[in-house]
Amino acid sequence: MPADDDRSPLPFEPTSKRPKPPKSSPPPKSAKGSVAKKKDAPASKSKQRYSKEETEIPEAVSRRMLRRMFFFSGIPVSLGVLIFFASYVVIIQGLAELPNVVVLLTTLACFGLSVVGLSYGALSASWEEEATGGLLGVEQFRVNFGRMVGSWREAREERRKNP
């Protein structure tokens, strides 16, 4: 996996980092020694917002993500519903005696797998407009998961530096 400095930015990745807010000095103390409140300070800090064009996911990438999410999530959901109705028919027809717990756990496992499939579908899609990626997207998952973890670490370091 290439280093983040060597890679080209994604089409929907902002081109510049947000500027750090200036450190403010502690509020002045009043005559009684308590901290005086500023009345003219705005309620929310003004943050630089990126334009829609800078943060928008390209249409090709969005469709690729949706197809993969539908595939990796749709199959387990369909399987869970199929297992539920098949077990209902088996129990009603008296073909077998299935414990309720078995039916519950297998359908819940399928639905849980579909939730994982949603995340995998988004992360296994190629985030480059030109590249389509592989069939299962294992290589793209590694790259995109690395980007996501790197972003989390960077944000955590920023919070530590600027409490």
Side-chain angles (χ1 to χ4, degrees), residues 93-161:
Q93 296 295 325
L95 300 174
E97 190 68 32
L98 295 175
N100 293 340
V101 173
V102 171
V103 175
L104 175 73
L105 292 179
T106 54
T107 55
L108 280 179
C110 289
F111 293 145
L113 190 59
S114 73
V115 172
V116 173
L118 284 173
S119 299
Y120 184 78
L123 291 174
S124 68
S126 173
W127 290 355
E128 303 289 335
E129 277 188 275
E130 308 83 35
T132 57
L135 182 64
L136 294 177
V138 175
E139 182 61 34
Q140 288 301 319
F141 177 79
R142 289 183 186 137
V143 170
N144 295 337
F145 189 75
R147 288 175 177 164
M148 186 176 66
V149 169
S151 174
W152 288 343
R153 287 181 181 153
E154 185 178 309
R156 185 177 58 205
E157 289 300 319
E158 285 294 321
R159 282 195 308 267
R160 286 184 183 166
K161 288 179 183 176

Side-chain angles (χ1 to χ4, degrees), residues 13 24 36 62 71 76-77 80 92 126 135-136 149 152:
E13 189 173 34
S24 61
S62 176
F71 178 76
V77 165
I92 292 299
S126 173
L135 182 64
L136 294 177
V149 169
W152 288 343

